[in-house]
Amino acid sequence: DLCEFPCTSGEGLYWDGSCEAGGCDSRVTTNTVAGEDLCVYPCSTGDYLYWDGSCDDPCSPLLTTTIYKDELFCDFPCTTGEFRYYDSTCAATCPAPYSATPVKGENYCDYSCGPGEFLY
Protein backbone atom coordinates (compact mmCIF):
# COMPACT_ATOMS: atom_id res chain seq x y z
CA ASP A 1 0.00 0.00 0.00
CA LEU A 2 1.23 3.48 -0.87
CA CYS A 3 0.65 6.48 1.34
CA GLU A 4 -0.87 9.26 -0.72
CA PHE A 5 -0.48 12.93 0.13
CA PRO A 6 -4.04 14.33 0.39
CA CYS A 7 -3.21 17.87 -0.77
CA THR A 8 -2.66 19.16 -4.29
CA SER A 9 0.67 20.54 -5.48
CA GLY A 10 1.64 23.76 -3.67
CA GLU A 11 -0.62 23.15 -0.69
CA GLY A 12 0.54 22.51 2.87
CA LEU A 13 -0.92 19.70 4.99
CA TYR A 14 -1.82 20.90 8.50
CA TRP A 15 -2.02 18.99 11.78
CA ASP A 16 -5.81 18.98 11.58
CA GLY A 17 -5.78 17.24 8.18
CA SER A 18 -6.67 20.36 6.17
CA CYS A 19 -4.80 21.61 3.10
CA GLU A 20 -4.06 25.25 2.30
CA ALA A 21 -2.75 26.85 -0.88
CA GLY A 22 0.61 28.55 -0.62
CA GLY A 23 2.14 26.02 1.74
CA CYS A 24 2.42 26.43 5.50
CA ASP A 25 1.67 29.54 7.54
CA SER A 26 4.95 31.38 8.19
CA ARG A 27 4.51 31.04 11.97
CA VAL A 28 4.66 27.23 12.01
CA THR A 29 7.36 24.70 11.18
CA THR A 30 7.43 23.30 7.64
CA ASN A 31 8.74 19.76 7.21
CA THR A 32 9.16 18.73 3.59
CA VAL A 33 8.82 14.99 3.01
CA ALA A 34 9.11 13.55 -0.50
CA GLY A 35 8.56 17.06 -1.89
CA GLU A 36 5.36 17.67 0.11
CA ASP A 37 4.94 20.26 2.88
CA LEU A 38 3.79 19.13 6.32
CA CYS A 39 2.82 22.04 8.57
CA VAL A 40 3.76 21.34 12.20
CA TYR A 41 2.65 23.24 15.30
CA PRO A 42 5.80 22.99 17.46
CA CYS A 43 4.33 23.80 20.90
CA SER A 44 2.86 21.59 23.61
CA THR A 45 -0.88 21.65 24.27
CA GLY A 46 -1.80 24.85 26.12
CA ASP A 47 1.34 26.76 25.10
CA TYR A 48 1.28 29.74 22.76
CA LEU A 49 3.49 29.94 19.67
CA TYR A 50 5.23 33.33 19.64
CA TRP A 51 6.32 35.25 16.53
CA ASP A 52 9.96 34.24 17.12
CA GLY A 53 9.15 30.52 17.09
CA SER A 54 9.33 30.05 20.86
CA CYS A 55 6.58 28.45 22.95
CA ASP A 56 5.34 29.86 26.24
CA ASP A 57 2.29 30.23 28.46
CA PRO A 58 0.61 32.63 29.04
CA CYS A 59 0.41 35.24 26.30
CA SER A 60 0.83 38.79 27.64
CA PRO A 61 -2.35 40.91 27.53
CA LEU A 62 -0.29 43.49 25.57
CA LEU A 63 -0.04 41.02 22.70
CA THR A 64 -2.62 39.60 20.31
CA THR A 65 -3.90 36.09 20.97
CA THR A 66 -5.23 34.16 18.00
CA ILE A 67 -6.47 30.62 17.55
CA TYR A 68 -5.60 29.08 14.19
CA LYS A 69 -6.70 25.53 13.42
CA ASP A 70 -7.37 24.97 17.15
CA GLU A 71 -3.84 25.99 18.21
CA LEU A 72 -2.76 29.07 20.20
CA PHE A 73 -0.68 31.93 18.80
CA CYS A 74 0.71 35.02 20.54
CA ASP A 75 1.47 37.78 18.04
CA PHE A 76 3.19 41.17 18.33
CA PRO A 77 0.50 43.59 17.11
CA CYS A 78 2.75 46.46 16.02
CA THR A 79 4.54 46.96 12.72
CA THR A 80 8.19 45.88 12.67
CA GLY A 81 10.27 48.65 14.23
CA GLU A 82 7.40 50.12 16.24
CA PHE A 83 7.23 50.16 20.04
CA ARG A 84 4.41 48.58 22.04
CA TYR A 85 3.20 50.73 24.97
CA TYR A 86 1.45 49.42 28.07
CA ASP A 87 -1.76 51.22 27.05
CA SER A 88 -1.85 48.81 24.06
CA THR A 89 -0.86 51.45 21.48
CA CYS A 90 1.99 51.31 18.97
CA ALA A 91 4.32 54.17 18.04
CA ALA A 92 7.46 54.72 15.98
CA THR A 93 9.43 56.21 18.88
CA CYS A 94 10.00 55.65 22.59
CA PRO A 95 10.91 59.07 24.05
CA ALA A 96 12.16 59.81 27.57
CA PRO A 97 11.12 59.23 30.31
CA TYR A 98 10.25 55.85 28.77
CA SER A 99 12.88 53.25 27.95
CA ALA A 100 12.99 50.72 25.13
CA THR A 101 12.93 47.08 26.24
CA PRO A 102 13.49 44.33 23.66
CA VAL A 103 11.38 41.17 24.10
CA LYS A 104 11.74 38.24 21.68
CA GLY A 105 13.15 40.59 19.04
CA GLU A 106 10.40 43.22 19.27
CA ASN A 107 10.31 46.52 21.18
CA TYR A 108 8.33 47.54 24.24
CA CYS A 109 8.30 51.07 25.61
CA ASP A 110 8.39 50.94 29.42
CA TYR A 111 8.26 53.44 32.19
CA SER A 112 10.10 52.12 35.20
CA CYS A 113 8.72 53.59 38.36
CA GLY A 114 10.84 53.54 41.49
CA PRO A 115 9.56 52.29 44.86
CA GLY A 116 6.53 54.33 45.89
CA GLU A 117 6.33 56.05 42.48
CA PHE A 118 3.33 55.86 40.16
CA LEU A 119 2.90 56.71 36.49
CA TYR A 120 -0.08 58.98 35.82
Side-chain angles (χ1 to χ4, degrees):
D1 290 340
L2 294 175
C3 181
E4 290 188 30
F5 191 71
C7 304
T8 60
S9 180
E11 290 184 327
L13 176 62
Y14 282 82
W15 52 87
D16 65 351
S18 65
C19 301
E20 284 199 13
C24 300
D25 185 285
S26 62
R27 300 175 294 181
V28 303
T29 304
T30 301
N31 291 339
T32 303
V33 178
E36 304 293 353
D37 289 339
L38 303 176
C39 311
V40 180
Y41 183 79
C43 301
S44 300
T45 301
D47 280 352
Y48 290 84
L49 178 59
Y50 280 73
W51 60 88
D52 68 344
S54 65
C55 301
D56 204 358
D57 181 40
C59 182
S60 166
L62 293 174
L63 302 173
T64 303
T65 300
T66 55
I67 297 173
Y68 180 69
K69 298 189 180 294
D70 294 325
E71 296 294 357
L72 302 168
F73 292 83
C74 190
D75 298 314
F76 189 75
C78 303
T79 304
T80 299
E82 284 190 321
F83 295 87
R84 183 69 168 171
Y85 284 80
Y86 278 92
D87 64 356
S88 297
T89 60
C90 300
T93 61
C94 183
Y98 297 97
S99 60
T101 305
V103 176
K104 297 182 184 285
E106 296 292 354
N107 297 311
Y108 286 87
C109 198
D110 291 332
Y111 182 82
S112 300
C113 296
E117 293 181 331
F118 299 93
L119 178 62
Y120 292 96

